Amino acid sequence: MRVDFYQLTNDPAEQVLPLIARNTLGAGERLLVVSEDEAQLRRVSEALWTRLPETFLANGRAGTGNDECQPILLADAPEPANGARYMALADGVWREGAFERVFLLFPPARIDDARGCWRMLGAREGVERRYWRQEGGKWKEGP
């Protein structure tokens, strides 16, 4: 499993997720976006529809019907009813699941939690970790 840590310093998760979603769909994968914050999931859905006008990022809320048809499913738990192998944790809270790739998006207020997660995952076999930070409006890999 690959885990990408995204430290959100300039933009909130709902502004970053459309880019991740576009790349995920471009790779032929489906995405599960998880947050316990219902208001955040509404903002994510709106951003997926409008943030990248040149890209159509169809999405739906888990439990509202036809979950299995959604290329991007928004949920409050890591249950990929749409068959997603990629998961984005929009609220910065780590959750276990059988995914090929996970995006952990966290604000500066959750940096201690992210560090703990980084250490915990570093002790696991078969986990590749990458760290991304915003620099000058662009994402740069590394510390």
Side-chain angles (χ1 to χ4, degrees):
M1 170 176 60
R2 175 175 160 177
V3 180
D4 291 276
F5 288 74
Y6 282 82
Q7 185 175 359
L8 305 171
T9 52
N10 297 334
D11 299 319
E14 47 270 23
Q15 295 301 308
V16 176
L17 278 165
L19 302 171
I20 290 172
R22 179 186 63 193
N23 293 340
T24 296
L25 296 179
E29 296 291 340
R30 290 176 173 230
L31 181 66
L32 177 68
V33 178
V34 179
S35 176
E36 290 181 356
D37 182 346
E38 182 63 36
Q40 183 181 41
L41 288 176
R42 282 193 302 274
R43 291 189 307 272
V44 166
S45 179
E46 178 67 23
L48 288 169
W49 289 111
T50 63
R51 173 90 162 86
L52 303 172
E54 72 283 357
T55 306
F56 182 71
L57 297 172
N59 65 89
R61 183 71 167 90
T64 59
N66 298 317
D67 292 0
E68 67 282 354
C69 297
Q70 297 295 338
I72 304 168
L73 187 64
L74 311 178
D76 60 5
E79 299 164 5
N82 65 339
R85 297 185 311 161
Y86 286 26
M87 176 172 65
L89 301 168
D91 59 5
V93 177
W94 176 256
R95 293 167 182 84
E96 296 294 334
F99 293 91
E100 183 178 308
R101 190 165 180 190
V102 177
F103 306 94
L104 178 63
L105 292 83
F106 63 96
R110 296 200 70 100
I111 193 151
D112 288 338
D113 295 334
R115 285 179 178 147
C117 185
W118 179 274
R119 287 189 298 273
M120 179 262 305
L121 292 171
R124 291 188 183 179
E125 187 84 23
V127 175
E128 175 187 355
R129 302 167 298 163
R130 294 193 181 174
Y131 172 80
W132 301 90
R133 60 185 166 86
Q134 287 179 302
E135 186 176 284
K138 297 189 181 214
W139 287 99
K140 183 174 180 179
E141 187 176 5

